[in-house]
Amino acid sequence: MRFKDRVALVTGGGRGIGAATAKLLASEGARVAVSDLDETPAREVADPIGALAVACDVSVRADVDHMVELVEKKLGGIDILVTCAGIIRDNLLFKMTDEDWDAVIDTHLKGTFLCARAAQRSMVDKKYGKMVFLSSTSALGNRGQANYSAAKAGLQGMARTLAIELGQFNINVNTVAPGFVETRMTRATAERMGMDFETFKLGAASQIPLRRIGQPEDIASVIAFLCSDESSFVSGQTIYVRGGP
Ligand code: NAP
């Protein structure tokens, strides 16, 4: 029960890595708010674990402020923020549109900024907080992902900066950077490339030293570690979770 009496807000919690994280935090005692773009996936995850479901577009400031106020009112001040909301709009540079760029930067980078800024208020008051942002191995560069790679590298810089600013309030800020994880996001990539998902997964696994792709639970357990007091002296770091170095 590492998260007994803690309040955790998980964005993008209706699917994939966010859903696995919300379930794990709840199973260890946290009062969880599951936020997603639409209420239906948020509710599907939240209801069975007794969590609060909130619909929120993280790229819209009014939505984020409303979500954070609601969580504070219904569950108490926020102790843990995990930002999993994410999209991909892959294309080679010469084909990447302004809309592809803006949608990805707004969701990952602006969305995380808005959530962190809104959530820090109650963390500073409590002199306690854990923030974990979802980065990616794509932060190191990945063909067709100029927008996503820039956003994911940006999140690492943002986490390091917030770790410096918020450390004096006993707030830890870190990023987790997964490799290939089996979710709707990687399924969509296979579809876009015209590949069968099973073949796509086998190809990815063959490139990974541990010879398997990740599951959302593989990432959730590392996020939970960074949300726990076991990692209370770790801040401003990125942990790559990709089955290899
Ligand atoms: P996923 O299954 O597609 O889940 C992403 C969630 O984010 C979806 O529930 C989606 O909602 C939600 N979302 C999208 N735009 C949003 C917005 N503007 N406001 C609020 N919620 C929004 O993806 P995932 O694979 O679990 O990814 C979770 C995070 O891990 C992402 O940041 C992703 O970039 C990162 N990551 C994933 C992988 C991987 O291999 N899967 C690898 C590295 C990093 P709807 O479905 O309702 O649209």
Side-chain angles (χ1 to χ4, degrees):
M1 298 297 274
R2 286 178 293 178
F3 308 109
K4 192 170 181 304
D5 299 329
R6 300 289 183 206
V7 172
L9 167 59
V10 182
T11 74
R15 302 182 206 277
I17 295 167
T21 303
K23 289 176 195 167
L24 181 55
L25 296 178
S27 75
E28 293 202 43
R31 296 197 298 278
V32 176
V34 178
S35 151
D36 214 290
L37 195 53
D38 299 318
E39 195 169 339
T40 307
R43 200 164 281 292
E44 280 167 9
V45 174
D47 285 353
I49 59 173
L52 174 71
V54 195
C56 170
D57 181 342
V58 295
S59 64
V60 177
R61 189 182 61 185
D63 263 30
V64 171
D65 289 347
H66 171 73
M67 166 181 72
V68 168
E69 277 166 27
L70 188 76
V71 175
E72 287 173 350
K73 199 168 118 198
K74 297 231 169 176
L75 302 182
I78 297 167
D79 300 290
I80 294 167
L81 169 69
V82 183
T83 62
C84 297
I87 57 168
I88 45 172
R89 296 284 184 275
D90 296 355
N91 238 327
L92 292 176
L93 179 61
F94 75 103
K95 286 193 279 189
M96 187 171 284
T97 64
D98 292 12
E99 290 73 28
D100 293 335
W101 176 267
D102 288 344
V104 168
I105 297 295
D106 283 357
T107 304
H108 295 271
L109 212 44
K110 186 178 176 193
T112 297
F113 159 69
L114 291 174
C115 291
R117 190 180 60 182
Q120 57 82 32
R121 277 192 303 265
S122 63
M123 294 183 180
V124 168
D125 284 348
K126 289 185 177 199
K127 295 254 183 318
Y128 184 92
K130 310 281 185 189
M131 295 189 191
V132 179
F133 307 153
L134 265 291
S135 179
S136 165
T137 50
S138 296
L140 303 170
N142 197 22
R143 186 179 157 83
Q145 292 197 315
N147 49 4
Y148 187 77
S149 172
K152 292 308 198 185
L155 285 170
Q156 296 186 16
M158 196 194 303
R160 282 195 289 273
T161 298
L162 300 189
I164 292 167
E165 291 184 14
L166 299 175
Q168 62 185 311
F169 304 108
N170 190 32
I171 298 170
N172 303 56
V173 188
N174 291 290
T175 64
V176 169
F180 189 114
V181 182
E182 182 169 2
T183 68
R184 210 178 53 143
M185 189 175 274
T186 37
R187 188 178 288 275
T189 305
E191 273 168 23
R192 189 178 48 79
M193 293 170 76
M195 284 180 78
D196 162 65
F197 193 42
E198 294 307 313
T199 313
F200 189 58
K201 287 192 296 184
L202 283 174
S206 71
Q207 302 299 313
I208 296 171
L210 283 173
R211 294 289 184 274
R212 69 172 179 90
I213 59 163
Q215 294 301 317
E217 293 73 20
D218 292 315
I219 313 303
S221 58
V222 179
I223 296 172
F225 167 67
L226 290 172
C227 293
S228 77
D229 291 330
E230 291 167 359
S231 61
S232 61
F233 206 47
V234 180
S235 200
Q237 303 300 314
T238 295
I239 301 185
Y240 283 87
V241 188
R242 47 126 12 222

